[in-house]
Structures are given as C-alpha cells and as structure tokens.
Amino acid sequence: LTSSLPYMVLALAISPFALPLDPFFCPKINTVNNASFSLSLDEYTRATWYVQKQQVNSYQPAEQLFCVTATYNLEGATVPLFGGTVVTVYNEATFDDKRTKVNGGGTLCARIADESQPDKLSVAPCFLPNLLAGPYWPVYIEADAEGQYSIVAVSGGQPDVPTDGSPFDPSTYKCTPRELGINNAGLWILSREPVADPAAVARAEAALEAMGVATTKLLPVPQGAECEDAYASRFLKPRDCGPTADGQGRCNPTATAPPAPSCAFSNNPLGQAACDLATAIGTCQ
C-alpha cells in the first residue's frame, strides 16, 4: 500500500474531481498603456461613459443593470492616507422600470497609486484607504481621429475564474473576473454614446477574447431613448459642464482643490497615529 501511495496521489491530482489549480494558469492581461499609447486621464474623464455590456458582481446584480452610467470627475477629492490623484466616480443605474434609482452606496473614489500608470486605478468608497480598494483596469480602448476615446473595455483586475477550455491548451483557455465579492470583480464594455455602434462593441469583445478573457457572461445593458427619464436626474458630462452658481465649472475643476480635511482623535491613540501619518503625507491637516 505504501509503495502505491505516490501513484494514488498522482491519480487524484489529474482526476476531474481534484481541487482545481486552473486559476494559476489564467492568461495574464495587460492594461492599455504601452510604448505607443498612454491613457490620458483628462480625456478619460471628459465625458460620461454608458455601459453597453457588463458582468454581474456582488454589488451589481442582473436586476440592477439598466441605464448604467459612469461619470468620472477630477474635482480635488481626497482619501485617507493618500496624497496622489483621486478621481470622483458617479455610478448610476436603475431597476427594470428604467426609472427607480439603484442606491449603490454613494459616490466612489478612484485612486492612481502610481502616476506613471494612470491605467491601473483602484476604486472604493471615499472614506476607505487604498488598501481596501479594488482594481479598475482599462484593457482595451478606441479613440477617434481627434484623440477622443469612444469605447473601452474594463476589467476588475486580473481574471482568475476559469470558464472555457483547458489550461493545457492556451488557444482555448479563457478566464473571467469574479462574479462574487466586491474587489477583483467585474467586466464592462462602455461607450461614450448611449447606444454604441454594434461593430465597436464586437471589436471590444473580440479583443477581450484574444487576451484570454471570456465574454460569455457579459449581459447587455439597455440604454438610449428608454433611459431618458433616468438620465435626466443624473450628473452627466459634458451636458452638465456649464458654470455653477459660484462661477466655477463643475466638470474637472482641478484648478482649485478643496482643503485637506482636519484630523484629530483626542481619546484614541491608534486613530491619532493614523491621523499623524495622514498629516505627514498631506492628506490631512
């Protein structure tokens, strides 16, 4: 029996009932930056993005994927323990009546930990530090002749859930980001137009498939005329980029950042230590 034990272990390892090691073989994806292209944050935040297709996740179930928009704004937001660039994120969606607003937890903050990699953002509620933020990676993007972005595919980090094929056949092996959980979850195709050219969406899907990212779990998101009531009450760019009452434009008002929040914990030494660190790096005063 002892002499046959290694063969039993090998048989279990290669059997269909073995614990899968497949995620370790998922194709590694790259973000959009390369030798000839660097993501412009000003252009990416210039106008609202309309989700054309997306994968469900724990905070965006299928029954809430209607009239989904994402508006990014450079308005001087700050997050704890971080002094770098922060993008304010306005995510909006409705239920299937295309009027009832989904309450998804309010405004989020996207952070750029490395200014040389603006295509590797992490997103979380603004009160949370970067350690608790989840990845948001543009992995495919198209631009027109004027350099304006028109369509983008975004992954919630490195896909690690196998869906198709065999890890021993890279030509067929596909993985997807997680559908459960909050961080490292989500897959989106977004367009500047409420209703995108189907050919552009198909190109984005084909690009994902070529990277080894499965698109079979993407769901279509209704947009356009049937969502006009939903759009009416949202902050959309460039529609809402006119001057506000104080004479400052609402869209990307980076010239004047808000003052850093004050930071003091009189009876909590641990909290005060975090404050002192935040003050040292310039996110509190």
Side-chain angles (χ1 to χ4, degrees):
L1 178 61
T2 303
S3 63
S4 64
L5 185 58
Y7 299 100
M8 294 171 63
V9 172
L10 177 62
L12 282 172
I14 63 176
S15 78
F17 305 103
L19 292 174
L21 297 176
D22 295 6
F24 297 103
F25 297 97
C26 285
K28 303 303 179 186
I29 61 173
N30 295 314
T31 49
V32 293
N33 276 16
N34 55 46
S36 60
F37 179 86
S38 180
L39 186 78
S40 166
L41 204 57
D42 286 339
E43 169 55 27
Y44 199 84
T45 62
R46 175 184 57 83
T48 293
W49 292 97
Y50 297 82
V51 177
Q52 304 298 302
K53 289 188 173 184
Q54 79 169 83
Q55 190 170 288
V56 300
N57 52 55
S58 293
Y59 57 93
Q60 291 179 308
E63 60 269 20
Q64 298 179 9
L65 300 185
F66 296 85
C67 311
V68 185
T69 58
T71 301
Y72 304 101
N73 207 37
L74 293 165
E75 52 191 50
T78 59
V79 298
L81 308 177
F82 181 64
T85 300
V86 177
V87 183
T88 305
V89 181
Y90 298 89
N91 285 337
E92 302 276 2
T94 70
F95 292 95
D96 59 0
D97 64 0
K98 304 177 183 66
R99 289 182 174 83
T100 304
K101 182 178 179 179
V102 171
N103 294 316
T107 303
L108 302 175
C109 283
R111 312 98 192 276
I112 300 177
D114 183 346
E115 297 290 340
S116 70
Q117 294 183 304
D119 57 342
K120 284 193 173 181
L121 301 96
S122 56
V123 180
C126 299
F127 62 86
L128 291 178
N130 291 5
L131 181 65
L132 300 177
Y136 175 100
W137 294 356
V139 296
Y140 174 80
I141 201 162
E142 292 185 5
D144 62 19
E146 286 72 42
Q148 294 187 338
Y149 302 154
S150 55
I151 199 156
V152 65
V154 176
S155 177
Q158 174 63 46
D160 60 2
V161 179
T163 60
D164 303 296
S166 164
F168 303 106
D169 183 1
S171 66
T172 64
Y173 196 52
K174 300 285 191 298
C175 294
T176 187
R178 302 169 194 171
E179 292 182 291
L180 299 176
I182 296 176
N183 293 344
N184 296 99
L187 186 65
W188 299 265
I189 295 176
L190 308 94
S191 169
R192 290 292 201 201
E193 297 296 327
V195 179
D197 179 356
V201 175
R203 288 194 299 273
E205 289 186 280
L208 289 170
E209 290 282 339
M211 299 174 202
V213 180
T215 60
T216 52
K217 294 180 179 291
L218 287 172
L219 301 178
V221 177
Q223 297 283 7
E226 58 188 317
C227 294
E228 288 300 329
D229 288 343
Y231 300 155
S233 61
R234 299 179 184 177
F235 171 38
L236 299 180
K237 299 165 70 171
R239 185 193 70 185
D240 300 325
C241 288
T244 58
D246 62 3
Q248 300 295 319
R250 182 177 181 184
C251 297
N252 291 0
T254 53
T256 305
S262 60
C263 206
F265 284 79
S266 58
N267 298 315
N268 187 327
L270 183 60
Q272 189 57 53
C275 263
D276 294 341
L277 177 59
T279 300
I281 62 176
T283 58
C284 286
Q285 60 184 14

